[in-house]
Structures are given as C-alpha cells and as structure tokens.
Amino acid sequence: MRASSTLCCSTSSVGRKEPRASSSRRLSAARCERHHKTRICASSSSSSSAYDYIVVGSGIGGLTAAAMLSYHGNSVLVLESHYETGGAAHGFTRRVKKKRDEIDTSQKSKKGDENESKDDDEDDDTNESLEFVFDTGPSFFAGLTTPNALNPLASVLEVLGEPLETVKYDPLGTFHIEKGVPGLRRHADLDLLCEEIERFSEGGAKEVRLAVPKIRDMFEALSGLPTIALRTDWRILLVIGKRYLEKMSKLGKYGGVLGQPTNALLDFLDVRDPWVKYLCDLECFLLSGMDASGTVSAEFASVFGASDYFKKSEFPVGGGKAISDALVRAIEKRGGEIRVNAHVKEVALNDKKDEAIGVRMRMDPEVVIKAKKGVLSNASVWDTYEKLLPKDAKISAQEYQKNTTIDCSDSFMHIHLGIKADGLDFSHLGGHHVVVNDKSKPLDAPGNVCMISIATVWSPEMAPDGHHCVHCYTMEPYDGWTELKATDRKAYEEKKKEKCDVLFKALETVIPDVRSRVVLELLASPASHEKWLRRYRGTYGAVIPAPKMFPGPAVKGVKNLYRVGDSVAPGVGVPAAAGSGVICANTLTSLEDHFKFLDKCDEK
C-alpha cells in the first residue's frame, strides 16, 4: 500500500547523487557481511551486557527510534528475529539461472513463497544467472529528501548524515477505475489532477478546483507543528511555546474537522460528487486500509497537501530497503548494535513487575540483557501484549483487553516477478498502477483492488539488463491459510496459484503479454506475509477508525516500556511509522537535546 505518497514516470530527475550501477550487488555483499557479524552477536548474549535502550524489532519505527537515541549519545541494542532488518520494508534477492542465451524456465518458482528460503548468498557466477532485487512492502513514497513537516525521514536522515538517493517523478501512478477507459494519472500537483478528474466527472473537477485553496491552506496550517517537534510529555508545551505557537495559529479554523473521518472533511470542502468521493475512498484505502469513513481527515489532508507541495513523488534508489539500510548505518556508526536472527522471548521485569529492566532471549531465557533506561517494542500491539509481556506484568485487565482487541486489517496475496522488458516503454505508463476490478464491491473485498509496483522503472539496477522487477499485491483474509499450509501443501500451492490469478489479470491491464514474459515467479499468501514480514496475522496494520486515536508510546502499568511502529500514533504507513520512532525518541530525550536537534534540522 502507500508508504508515503506516490510514484510514476513521465519526467524524472535524480535527487542527491547519480544512481550507482552496482547497487544490487553491493546490497548482497553488505547483507552477507551483516549476517555473519550479527549471527555471532545473537549467540553471545551475556548477563553483563547492559545498554541504555533495547529495541525489539527493526521496522522503520524501531530503527528510527534507535538511530535518534544513538544520535543523542545513548548505547542502543536492536534485536531482530528476521535475518534482515527493515520489518515490512525489507528487501530480498533472487537469482534465476540462464540457459545459454535464454532463461532456464525450469527455474521458475511456481510454488515457492516470496521468501521460501533465505536470500541466495552463494557466489553464483553472474554470467550464469540473473539477479533480481525485490521490495516486500511499501512502494509509494514522497518527502524522502526534502525536509518537510509531515514525513520526518528527510530531516532525520539529513541530520544523521545518511541522506537517501532518490528518483523523483510524476504522476504518482495510474488508477484504473473505469473499464475500457485510460486510467486516471494521479498527478501530485492538484491543478493537474483536476484536469485528469475532468475526464471522468466535470462537476467533480469543478468541486475539487474550488477546494484546492482550502487544501493548500490546511496543509500550511498542519505544517505549523512538524513531526520532528512532537513528544508525549508535558514538555511539548515548551516546544510549542518557544518555536511553533505563531505558526500553529492557522490550525484553529480547521480544529473541528481534522480529527474527524475524511467524509467530514469532504463535506467541509463541499466535495459531494460521487465519482470524486469514490476516488477519495480509494486514496484513503491506499493510505490506511480504511475508506473515507474511517481514515482521519488530518492524514488525508496531509497527503494531498504534501504531494501538491512537492509536485513530485520519490523512489529510493535500490528500493524501499534503502531506507532501513540508511537507518542501520546511522545506528552502527554511533556505536549501536544490531542483531538479526535474535529471538526475544519476553521483556524482563523488576521484582514488582511494574518496570522493564531488559529482555530475555528465547535461546537462553535465564539471562537478562539489561536496559538501563528502557525497552522499546517495535512488535505489533497484539504481539507486544500477548507475547512479549510476561503474564504477571502489572497491566490492568482493562488495559490489556483494550490493546489486544484492536481490530486489524486483512492480509495480502503477493506476486513477485522477474520479466523480460523487450519492447516495454513506461515513459508514459509509469511504474505504479492501481487496478479496481469492480466499483460496486467494497474496496477491501479480496482481489478487488490490486496494487502494482515496477520498481525498475526508477531503479533499473534492481534487475538485470533487459528485465524488470514486478511486485503486485491485493487484500486477502488471513484465516485458514496457515492451517492449510501445515496440513496439505499441495492444496495450499493450488489455492495460492488460484488466488494470485487476479493479480496476473490486473497486470495484463498494464502489460497484456506479461505471462509470456515471466522468467522468475514467486507467489505468496497471508501465511507467507505473516512469516517473512513478521506481521501479526499478516495484517497491513491496525484498524482504528477516526475519530478514535492511535495510542501513544508508553505502556501503561509498566515503567520504561514503550511501543513504536504502525500500531502506535501517528498510525499506518512509512511516514507514520517513522514518526512514531521520532516521537518516542524525543519523549526520552532532554528538552535541551531536543532543541539542539531541531536547530540542526533547521540548518538543513
């Protein structure tokens, strides 16, 4: 789904430095080196080890928090159960063998999951094989290199000395909503978007044009208090009073609507055209997994306003994994430690069971790796409360039930493909597409909305010359998949193939002969998503419909235990997950150091 905002390719310009031709090979080498180092660390826990903070999980929220805490001089240990960092935003590599000048089609993976085995780190002769680098999760990005109020990653990575290389482009993507009609090109610039909407609804385009000045003013108002300034203790009042009070003054006139569902915002903007409202439902669904009746207005206004402000979307060179790699470098160069293949059994508590003092590992549960200042869980809200917290923790029954009964969205079917690129021209089509199969069905109906990401449109080094990487995914309920995989593998493979056919049909909207181009095929189910992305029930994220709010980082009842990630405020998506890490780290940082960090951000 959407990670930050958008993508596509009509005009392209490279942010930062020129892309490096050997990025994918270098990613594999770096992966090997880190695996070797961290495997040793993961097996050498000691009761004498003590860190200021321990972070359980290395998703974007956990890595952002760890990087910022390291920046502020804390000793940090990150423990990741996967063999890769990045959580839902990690990447993986697959190779397929050549047969003379053709691909050996016997190597096509017709039954394997996306990550059925670890990445191939063997020394394959690159003259004998083709290597493809895939993203596993987020595919739509914006605001990664231009410091802005709403996506904290640009500012954070600049200050940490790890700015990203990105390709900038427009439009965001093509939305194929109506059958037999060229799709809507989802431009970032709202004026250009209105021209596109006019092809489908003249009245709707008129309404949106009238709303554009309000959307831009609302975005400016929301920008008055940037994510990098937020914290959850009383000191936020001092931060606002000293730096942002005047800039926040514009928020007053929108205060009554920003916390409400997006439907209320559309009423406020006098947007009532049915076609435009359907488009807004689709945009909300891509953002949060909910339509306009559940997605909070502030998120919708922020994304529309931000994309219009940037006029471009961005794709990180090397794929989404480049974001987690940058955060990993920021942690390690300041003395932080990251251990993969490191399975945490539970949070260790003091004798009173009301304070986190470290963690216990599954391989040696009698040993406590100590955290002097706190433990941060980047696991989901369900896994934190049901698995990481000991049963005797001083959590009230009400608090436990409130957190463990939060709803979650469905999971996904995925296909990852390596395809021949002969004759394909994406200069107009772009690399991101959303295909709606039936407007009369709910957006979250299984197989109804298919998301397509062809990363090599912007980062061609992710595939061999003459090839593209394709990632396509759609919603699918979780129930039954894990049991079927465990009890009847043949039936599981057949069902996976059957369910993924809708994704191939969606791809045929963009590449009619895609099936004949396939040289590498990987199919994945909700069971795959759960296992390889370490996601509770393979979910996209927590479903907390507005006006309800996502919870803050503190775990009530247990001192020095905090949560970060997409089941914590601000919510779902890469900017929100990174924001949760920023907010938590700020809260744990002195006001003086927080102000110094904000000064550094201003300098950038």
Side-chain angles (χ1 to χ4, degrees):
M1 293 239 192
R2 183 169 301 172
S4 292
S5 220
T6 50
L7 281 87
C8 213
C9 186
S10 277
T11 57
S12 298
S13 61
V14 178
R16 307 294 164 198
K17 299 170 279 187
E18 289 293 319
R20 297 163 292 189
S22 60
S23 292
S24 62
R25 302 301 302 173
R26 207 173 43 257
L27 278 172
S28 295
R31 183 182 298 118
C32 291
E33 182 181 354
R34 189 161 72 248
H35 285 181
H36 174 70
K37 178 173 63 175
T38 50
R39 271 198 299 266
I40 295 172
C41 293
S43 63
S44 60
S45 303
S46 168
S47 59
S48 62
S49 300
Y51 302 83
D52 290 326
Y53 291 100
I54 295 176
V55 181
V56 181
S58 70
I60 297 298
L63 290 176
T64 302
M68 290 190 61
L69 290 169
S70 296
Y71 173 82
H72 289 302
N74 296 287
S75 59
V76 176
L77 171 64
V78 179
L79 299 169
E80 170 57 54
S81 64
H82 202 290
Y83 60 84
E84 264 291 8
T85 58
H90 79 270
F92 67 99
T93 301
R94 285 292 180 273
R95 295 183 179 91
V96 60
K97 290 183 179 179
K98 288 184 179 180
K99 187 175 182 180
R100 295 180 183 168
D101 294 332
E102 298 294 325
I103 302 300
D104 180 359
T105 55
S106 68
Q107 294 296 316
K108 287 171 61 173
S109 174
K110 296 181 179 179
K111 62 180 181 179
D113 284 345
E114 166 256 307
N115 270 334
E116 194 63 43
S117 60
K118 291 187 179 182
D119 292 341
D120 295 324
D121 282 336
E122 297 86 15
D123 293 325
D124 285 352
D125 182 349
T126 56
N127 293 321
E128 299 297 329
S129 65
L130 299 173
E131 180 178 277
F132 295 87
V133 180
F134 294 104
D135 282 333
T136 57
S139 48
F140 300 94
F141 302 92
L144 293 175
T145 59
T146 303
N148 63 95
L150 302 169
N151 186 347
L153 280 170
S155 294
V156 168
L157 291 174
E158 281 279 1
V159 173
L160 295 176
E162 295 293 344
L164 294 172
E165 299 175 56
T166 68
V167 176
K168 298 183 179 181
Y169 55 88
D170 187 69
L172 172 163
T174 302
F175 291 2
H176 304 269
I177 300 173
E178 306 291 351
K179 301 296 184 184
V181 178
L184 177 135
R185 288 164 63 76
R186 188 2 188 129
H187 289 287
D189 187 306
L190 292 178
D191 294 324
L192 295 177
L193 179 59
C194 287
E195 293 177 13
E196 278 290 291
I197 292 174
E198 197 166 17
R199 292 199 290 118
F200 300 90
S201 174
E202 292 184 4
K206 183 178 179 180
E207 289 179 356
V208 176
R209 281 194 180 97
L210 292 173
V212 164
K214 288 183 181 179
I215 294 172
R216 287 172 174 161
D217 187 63
M218 196 176 300
F219 174 72
E220 185 180 350
L222 285 165
S223 299
L225 184 62
T227 303
I228 55 172
L230 298 178
R231 53 193 299 147
T232 59
D233 59 5
W234 63 271
R235 294 173 183 83
I236 184 61
L237 300 175
L238 301 178
V239 175
I240 293 173
K242 185 173 181 179
R243 300 180 70 107
Y244 301 106
L245 196 58
E246 184 178 348
K247 294 179 181 178
M248 288 182 62
S249 60
K250 284 190 175 183
L251 273 174
K253 55 185 172 182
Y254 303 116
V257 71
L258 288 175
Q260 298 301 310
T262 297
N263 278 341
L265 175 62
L266 297 178
D267 290 341
F268 176 80
L269 296 172
D270 292 321
V271 173
R272 307 182 190 281
D273 177 78
W275 199 93
V276 172
K277 293 191 79 169
Y278 184 86
L279 175 63
C280 292
D281 275 331
L282 180 58
E283 290 270 357
C284 287
F285 176 70
L286 296 174
L287 284 169
S288 69
M290 297 178 282
D291 63 16
S293 68
T295 303
V296 67
S297 294
E299 181 178 14
F300 181 83
S302 296
V303 169
F304 261 74
S307 64
D308 179 68
Y309 174 79
F310 294 125
K311 308 300 184 188
K312 299 274 186 180
S313 300
E314 291 184 88
F315 190 80
V317 172
K321 186 179 181 299
I323 299 171
S324 59
D325 283 348
L327 291 166
V328 165
R329 291 192 300 269
I331 294 165
E332 291 182 337
K333 73 183 182 182
R334 291 177 173 84
E337 186 179 338
I338 300 174
R339 303 182 189 177
V340 295
N341 294 310
H343 306 290
V344 174
K345 181 180 186 293
E346 65 182 13
V347 174
L349 303 177
N350 65 352
D351 292 340
K352 295 181 179 180
K353 308 301 180 183
D354 65 353
E355 181 178 354
I357 60 171
V359 298
R360 300 179 190 275
M361 304 302 291
R362 201 182 302 167
M363 62 185 293
D364 193 1
E366 298 304 313
V367 174
V368 174
I369 306 178
K370 296 178 181 177
K372 292 180 285 186
K373 296 182 179 180
V375 175
L376 283 62
S377 172
N378 193 193
S380 72
V381 60
W382 309 282
D383 289 331
T384 298
Y385 280 85
E386 294 178 354
K387 295 181 179 180
L388 291 180
L389 270 173
K391 299 302 181 185
D392 55 357
K394 294 295 184 181
I395 301 287
S396 70
Q398 181 181 7
E399 187 68 15
Y400 181 86
Q401 182 178 20
K402 181 179 73 172
N403 284 280
T404 55
T405 56
I406 291 173
D407 288 335
C408 65
S409 70
D410 279 342
S411 187
F412 296 96
M413 298 301 302
H414 295 263
I415 57 176
H416 290 85
L417 303 176
I419 65 170
K420 296 178 181 178
D422 313 46
L424 295 178
D425 181 6
F426 291 104
S427 60
H428 178 74
L429 285 175
H432 279 84
H433 298 261
V434 177
V435 178
V436 178
N437 287 312
D438 189 341
K439 279 180 63 180
S440 67
K441 292 183 178 180
L443 291 168
D444 61 354
N448 191 34
V449 177
C450 300
M451 285 67 71
I452 300 167
S453 175
I454 308 170
T456 37
V457 170
W458 307 284
S459 194
E461 73 282 352
M462 294 174 70
D465 290 343
H467 296 79
H468 278 298
C469 292
V470 179
H471 179 202
C472 191
Y473 48 107
T474 190
M475 301 299 287
E476 171 69 17
Y478 170 81
D479 289 335
W481 279 98
T482 300
E483 293 80 5
L484 182 63
K485 183 177 180 180
T487 58
D488 191 339
R489 190 58 184 250
K490 182 179 179 180
Y492 169 75
E493 298 297 345
E494 290 174 351
K495 182 178 180 180
K496 200 166 53 166
K497 185 176 181 180
E498 174 191 344
K499 287 288 187 176
C500 283
D501 190 60
V502 69
L503 294 173
F504 276 102
K505 289 178 179 177
L507 270 171
E508 288 170 342
T509 303
V510 184
I511 309 171
D513 62 346
V514 64
R515 295 182 199 244
S516 66
R517 294 175 175 272
V518 175
V519 299
L520 174 65
E521 177 182 299
L522 301 165
L523 311 181
S525 73
S528 322
H529 194 94
E530 176 187 46
K531 178 178 180 180
W532 294 109
L533 273 69
R534 300 303 196 261
R535 298 290 289 178
Y536 170 83
R537 292 177 60 86
T539 182
Y540 177 53
V543 175
I544 302 179
K548 294 179 180 178
M549 303 291 287
F550 277 76
V555 174
K556 293 181 180 179
V558 179
K559 297 187 288 290
N560 295 339
L561 180 60
Y562 309 91
R563 292 198 304 113
V564 294
D566 62 7
S567 51
V568 184
V572 176
V574 168
S580 75
V582 169
I583 293 167
C584 186
N586 287 344
T587 303
L588 300 175
T589 298
S590 71
L591 191 60
E592 180 182 1
D593 285 342
H594 190 182
F595 278 133
K596 287 179 180 178
F597 178 78
L598 293 173
D599 289 339
K600 284 284 187 182
C601 292
D602 289 344
E603 291 173 10
K604 303 294 182 180

